[in-house]
Amino acid sequence: MIKLIALDIDGTTINSKEELSMRVISAIRKASNQGIKIVFASGRPYSGIYPLLKKLKIKGNYSISFGGGMILDENGESIFERNISEDSVVKLINLAYKQGVPLQFEGTNEIYTTNKLLPVYFARVSTRVNLPIRLIDMHDIGKYTFFKGIMYGRNEQLTNVIDEMNNQSKETLQEFNFSKTASDVLEISSQGISKGNALKIIAKKMNIASCEIMAIGDQENDIEMLKFADVSVAMGNAIDKVKKIASYHTSSNDEDGVAKAIETFALK
């Protein structure tokens, strides 16, 4: 019996218009009313998750933000967090500059960047997660706390970034966790940070076994979460890597894929 459902947000729970469909809302509410815990597991900060919780009108659930960099309880209070160290931030800024790739960092209250010319994508992220963008100087990095970095560029540029990091020393490589969340978006967090590890922490805290968990996702940063859950579901619009490791497939996020999966595997 499913006791917990872990849901990615972008490309999964919301459609391509970044909206919750009525069928998805209904399925999630029915699952919650049935006593199933709903855990949103997103790369977004909590400011980008809370509006969905408010619209769904569900309470008593944990949230995973920053791709696992922070776990929040049912009151929105942090119970686990791991930020990117100052030295690591400097390395990422220098790497992004070398590769000519724009880079921004997300904190709990603001988005930070040293790039004076911001790509349109950064503005879209700012709107999506309800956080303002602050332009900062390299010398002031120590004043802020960064939980996740985002690089935006062509697929080959981001591949070059990953390749260069793989060619660094073992110590440097072990500092970071890289995951593609779109062909032109690379997210970076501290090593060991993932939605999967965050879900394990929540499951242990709630005494819920992996065989009682369903996870649904579409992108590379969902893979560890899907591997942990016994009922793993790939969206119809998921990348091939996700479809390959998932136990089941559902329809796309524009075809109520999340609702169909919940109706099939969780609702009585």
Side-chain angles (χ1 to χ4, degrees):
M1 183 175 71
I2 298 299
K3 294 183 179 180
L4 185 154
I5 301 173
L7 298 171
D8 171 50
I9 293 178
D10 296 288
T12 299
T13 305
I14 59 176
N15 59 28
S16 58
K17 294 180 181 179
E18 301 193 1
E19 298 171 339
L20 285 165
S21 75
M22 291 308 299
R23 185 173 177 182
V24 168
I25 291 173
S26 176
I28 292 175
R29 283 179 179 168
K30 286 179 181 177
S32 181
N33 291 337
Q34 193 174 293
I36 297 172
K37 296 300 181 182
I38 306 297
V39 175
F40 277 122
S42 177
R44 295 181 177 205
Y46 187 65
S47 60
I49 298 174
Y50 177 73
L52 297 178
L53 293 171
K54 188 175 180 181
K55 185 167 185 175
L56 286 164
K57 298 179 181 178
I58 56 174
K59 297 180 179 179
N61 298 282
Y62 288 81
S63 300
I64 297 169
S65 64
F66 300 117
M70 183 178 289
I71 302 173
L72 301 109
D73 66 15
E74 57 270 23
N75 298 311
E77 299 294 327
S78 174
I79 63 167
F80 168 87
E81 56 185 67
R82 184 182 299 166
N83 62 292
I84 305 174
S85 71
E86 184 177 345
D87 287 345
S88 295
V89 168
V90 172
K91 289 178 183 178
L92 289 173
I93 291 173
N94 290 333
L95 177 59
Y97 180 78
K98 180 179 179 180
Q99 295 294 338
V101 177
L103 169 66
Q104 69 176 24
F105 295 94
E106 290 181 349
T108 53
N109 298 309
E110 293 178 308
I111 293 172
Y112 308 95
T113 184
T114 58
N115 296 101
K116 294 182 179 180
L117 296 177
L118 301 179
V120 174
Y121 177 79
F122 283 9
R124 291 205 304 268
V125 170
S126 173
T127 301
R128 183 182 301 144
V129 302
N130 305 299
L131 291 181
I133 299 174
R134 177 188 288 268
L135 181 64
I136 60 172
D137 188 89
M138 281 280 286
H139 301 293
D140 294 328
I141 287 172
K143 298 179 181 179
Y144 306 101
T145 302
F146 310 110
F147 288 96
K148 187 184 74 174
I150 303 176
M151 291 187 185
Y152 178 74
R154 298 188 308 277
N155 185 54
E156 56 268 29
Q157 287 179 301
L158 300 182
T159 299
N160 288 339
V161 169
I162 296 172
D163 288 344
E164 179 155 348
M165 287 305 301
N166 286 335
N167 290 330
Q168 297 289 327
S169 66
K170 185 177 180 181
E171 290 75 17
T172 298
L173 185 59
Q174 289 177 341
E175 291 179 38
F176 305 107
N177 177 51
F178 290 90
S179 60
K180 297 284 289 296
T181 56
S183 62
D184 52 2
V185 180
L186 181 66
E187 297 190 354
I188 310 105
S189 55
S190 293
Q191 185 59 256
I193 293 301
S194 71
K195 294 181 183 182
N197 284 339
L199 185 57
K200 289 176 185 177
I201 292 172
I202 293 173
K204 184 177 181 180
K205 191 173 184 67
M206 302 185 76
N207 196 29
I208 295 176
S210 59
C211 62
E212 299 170 312
I213 297 175
M214 175 168 75
I216 312 175
D218 72 308
Q219 284 293 336
E220 192 173 297
N221 64 343
D222 297 316
I223 289 176
E224 294 305 314
M225 174 176 76
L226 293 170
K227 285 182 176 179
F228 176 65
D230 270 26
V231 180
S232 56
V233 184
M235 298 296 293
N237 53 288
I239 61 172
D240 289 341
K241 282 184 180 179
V242 169
K243 290 181 177 178
K244 186 176 181 179
I245 62 96
S247 303
Y248 306 96
H249 295 174
T250 187
S251 301
S252 75
N253 62 324
D254 285 327
E255 300 169 307
D256 297 322
V258 161
K260 292 175 182 177
I262 292 174
E263 292 161 1
T264 300
F265 299 108
L267 298 185
K268 293 179 181 177

